[in-house]
């Protein structure tokens, strides 16, 4: 598939690398992009497309993923892709026409409402992260159909493939991922709180949790206390299993991040746990627990920045002016995660019940109430 037709401004040497490319920004953050090909492939596998199917994509972006879907469902298939921004829609139509896929129907709308005209769909896929499952996605999906979406669980995202049952959705596969959030009427309650100028550090928190940006900003400027944990983890474990553990166990957990061009901006204020490239920009993030005037974060050595493979690297806890009890709390989470056998994120099971149906909750499950759905989260025995 000619990715260069969808990213005409990216050089030919770069466009076939396994990188996301941001194509539109607002307030210094990307709001549209061509996603990283590796995660696109994982999500298309999760979608399990068959020739002739009707598919709805929410988040048209450049149109590249829609072209891949069109290729997989073939000439008998039908695909509608929606984007919330008119300029993005116009460009996606041009790219799809240039690549010979003008049979893809590109529409400008808020994808939270699905596409009532085109429904029902055998498959629905989101390429922006969602905090909830909207009524339209549930109702517009055929029985036995699949919904694949990056689901945000306190700022840790999992790409979940759900199968539609009569009264609920049941996950069939889960994979680590990271996408920009859905905007519009169904945007989640997460807040991005800048701690200095637009290209400086920021935290992402859920809901109306009180937060004091100036105190946190001051805390990040002080020399932090770094403590070894004695624990080693692969980068993938730290970004996936451990981050999800902290998110589910601690309501004060948050994402501390910086998104900037590393050749221009010093990013060292944010301890390194997770790093990904988007064109020339890099996002460096860590998981943290917020205290009153400070925070406690996780870190790993920087030499391993690109090592997402097998090696287990030492993890440390970095304290930015937080109360000692918070450091203890982070230690206890790490110990509990280790005792639990570092549960794999792909062993996660999620059932999603629309609010007007009765949720089946087992004793070991964790329940997250959303506006439209109840998420029941448990784990397969490993
Ligand atoms: C990561 S990009 C999509 C990548 C795209 N699938 C591709 O192959 O290039 C996410 C897109 O979701 C769109 N988006 C965000 N909120 C939306 C909403 N409520 N409805 C429709 N599109 C939305 C953004 O404008 C952005 O273009």
């Amino acid at each position: 598939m000619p990715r260069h037709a969808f990213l005409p401004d990216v050089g030919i040497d770069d466009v076939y690398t396994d990188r996301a490319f941001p194509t539109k920004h607002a307030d210094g953050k990307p709001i549209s992009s061509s996603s990283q090909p590796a995660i696109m492939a994982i999500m298309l596998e999760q979608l399990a497309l068959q020739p002739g199917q009707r598919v709805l994509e929410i988040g048209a972006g450049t149109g590249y993923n829609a072209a891949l879907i069109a290729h997989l469902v073939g000439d008998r298939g039908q695909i509608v892709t929606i984007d919330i921004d008119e300029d993005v829609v116009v460009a996606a139509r041009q790219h799809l026409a240039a690549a010979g896929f003008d049979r893809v129907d590109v529409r400008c709308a808020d994808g939270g409402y699905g596409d009532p005209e085109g429904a029902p769909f055998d498959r629905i896929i989101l390429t922006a992260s969602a905090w909830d499952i909207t009524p339209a996605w549930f109702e517009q999906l055929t029985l036995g159909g699949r919904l694949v979406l990056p689901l945000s669980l306190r700022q840790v995202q999992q790409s979940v493939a759900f199968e539609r049952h009569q009264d609920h959705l049941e996950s069939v596969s889960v994979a680590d991922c990271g996408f920009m959030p859905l905007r519009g009427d169904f945007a989640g309650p997460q807040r991005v709180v800048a701690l200095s100028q637009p290209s400086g550090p920021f935290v992402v928190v859920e809901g109306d949790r009180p937060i004091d940006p100036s105190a946190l900003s001051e805390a990040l400027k002080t020399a932090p206390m770094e403590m070894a944990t004695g624990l080693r983890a692969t980068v993938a474990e730290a970004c996936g299993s451990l981050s999800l553990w902290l998110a589910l166990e601690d309501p004060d957990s948050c994402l501390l991040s910086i998104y900037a061009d590393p050749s221009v901006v010093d990013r060292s204020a944010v301890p390194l746990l997770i790093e990904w490239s988007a064109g020339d920009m890099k996002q460096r993030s860590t998981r943290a627990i917020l205290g009153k005037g400070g925070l406690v974060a996780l870190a790993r050595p920087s030499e391993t920045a690109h090592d997402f493979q097998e090696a287990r690297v030492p993890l440390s806890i970095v304290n930015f002016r937080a109360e000692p009890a918070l450091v203890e709390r982070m230690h206890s989470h790490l110990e509990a995660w280790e005792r639990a056998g570092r549960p794999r994120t792909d062993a996660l099971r999620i059932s999603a019940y629309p609010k007007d149906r009765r949720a089946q909750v087992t004793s070991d499950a964790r329940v997250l109430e959303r506006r439209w759905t109840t998420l029941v989260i448990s784990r397969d025995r490993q």
Side-chain angles (χ1 to χ4, degrees), residues 45-375:
E45 260 184 32
Q46 289 184 297
L47 203 55
L49 291 164
Q50 302 295 327
Q53 286 184 323
R54 295 177 64 78
V55 186
L56 172 64
E57 182 194 37
I58 294 160
T62 63
Y64 184 49
N65 196 46
L68 295 170
I69 294 170
H71 174 73
L72 290 166
V73 296
D75 288 342
R76 287 186 301 111
Q78 289 184 34
I79 157 151
V80 178
T81 183
I82 296 181
D83 207 283
I84 198 163
D85 287 340
E86 182 66 40
D87 56 339
V88 173
V89 165
V90 169
R93 279 194 194 120
Q94 284 166 356
H95 302 155
L96 283 159
F101 286 98
D102 42 9
R103 64 195 167 85
V104 174
D105 185 355
V106 192
R107 300 195 185 169
C108 186
D110 184 334
Y113 296 97
D115 178 37
E117 272 176 47
F121 295 98
D122 304 302
R123 300 286 186 262
I124 300 179
I125 179 168
L126 268 80
T127 55
S129 70
W131 178 81
D132 200 352
I133 293 166
T134 74
W137 304 337
F138 184 75
E139 282 152 19
Q140 294 177 17
L141 191 60
T142 53
L143 262 184
R146 275 196 185 194
L147 166 68
V148 172
L149 82 171
L151 191 62
S152 178
L153 304 166
R154 298 206 185 110
Q155 285 69 251
V156 175
Q157 292 181 23
Q158 295 295 318
S159 173
V160 184
F162 284 109
E163 223 163 67
R164 164 83 207 258
H165 293 231
Q166 188 66 43
D167 65 341
H168 75 290
L169 297 163
E170 194 66 49
S171 71
V172 290
S173 88
V174 176
D176 300 334
C177 71
F179 278 81
M180 51 194 62
L182 193 77
R183 290 176 281 136
D185 292 351
F186 299 88
Q190 62 262 40
R191 285 182 300 148
V192 177
V193 182
L195 301 183
S196 63
Q197 72 277 22
S199 58
F202 58 93
V203 290
V204 190
V205 287
E206 200 154 287
D208 45 14
R209 187 198 187 289
I211 185 163
D212 181 347
S214 51
L216 282 183
S217 167
E218 281 310 307
L220 281 188
K221 284 182 199 147
T222 59
M225 294 266 292
E226 185 157 355
M227 286 144 279
T229 63
L231 214 67
R232 298 177 80 89
T234 64
V235 175
E237 278 174 329
C239 301
S241 168
L242 177 56
S243 293
L244 185 67
W245 182 272
L246 282 177
L248 292 179
E249 296 304 315
D250 202 315
D252 289 326
S253 76
C254 71
L255 192 71
L256 170 66
S257 250
I258 186 163
Y259 175 79
D261 181 340
S263 64
V264 179
V265 174
D266 172 18
R267 300 169 308 141
S268 58
V270 173
L272 172 70
L273 187 69
I274 308 161
E275 186 159 63
W276 58 272
S277 303
D280 294 335
M281 307 293 271
K282 283 205 167 179
Q283 180 148 356
R284 164 190 281 228
S285 305
T286 181
R287 300 293 313 180
I289 309 178
L290 283 172
K292 291 191 188 79
L295 56 81
V296 166
L298 290 175
R300 65 177 169 91
S302 60
E303 317 69 270
T304 54
H306 300 292
D307 182 5
F308 270 76
Q309 308 305 320
E310 303 302 319
R312 283 191 163 163
V313 298
L315 293 180
S316 52
I317 294 177
V318 188
N319 183 5
F320 293 96
R321 278 198 187 163
E323 55 276 23
L326 216 60
V327 176
E328 277 314 303
R329 211 157 109 192
M330 185 64 103
H331 271 298
S332 317
H333 287 316
L334 292 175
E335 280 165 19
W337 173 69
E338 180 72 337
R339 268 200 314 277
R342 306 180 177 215
R344 295 165 51 120
T345 46
D346 61 5
L348 215 60
R349 273 197 170 273
I350 308 178
S351 313
Y353 293 85
K355 281 281 159 107
D356 57 357
R357 323 284 162 107
R358 212 177 125 87
Q360 307 280 330
V361 183
T362 53
S363 59
D364 59 341
R366 195 163 284 275
V367 175
L368 293 184
E369 293 294 351
R370 300 310 204 209
R371 181 164 173 216
W372 302 103
T373 31
T374 300
L375 300 176

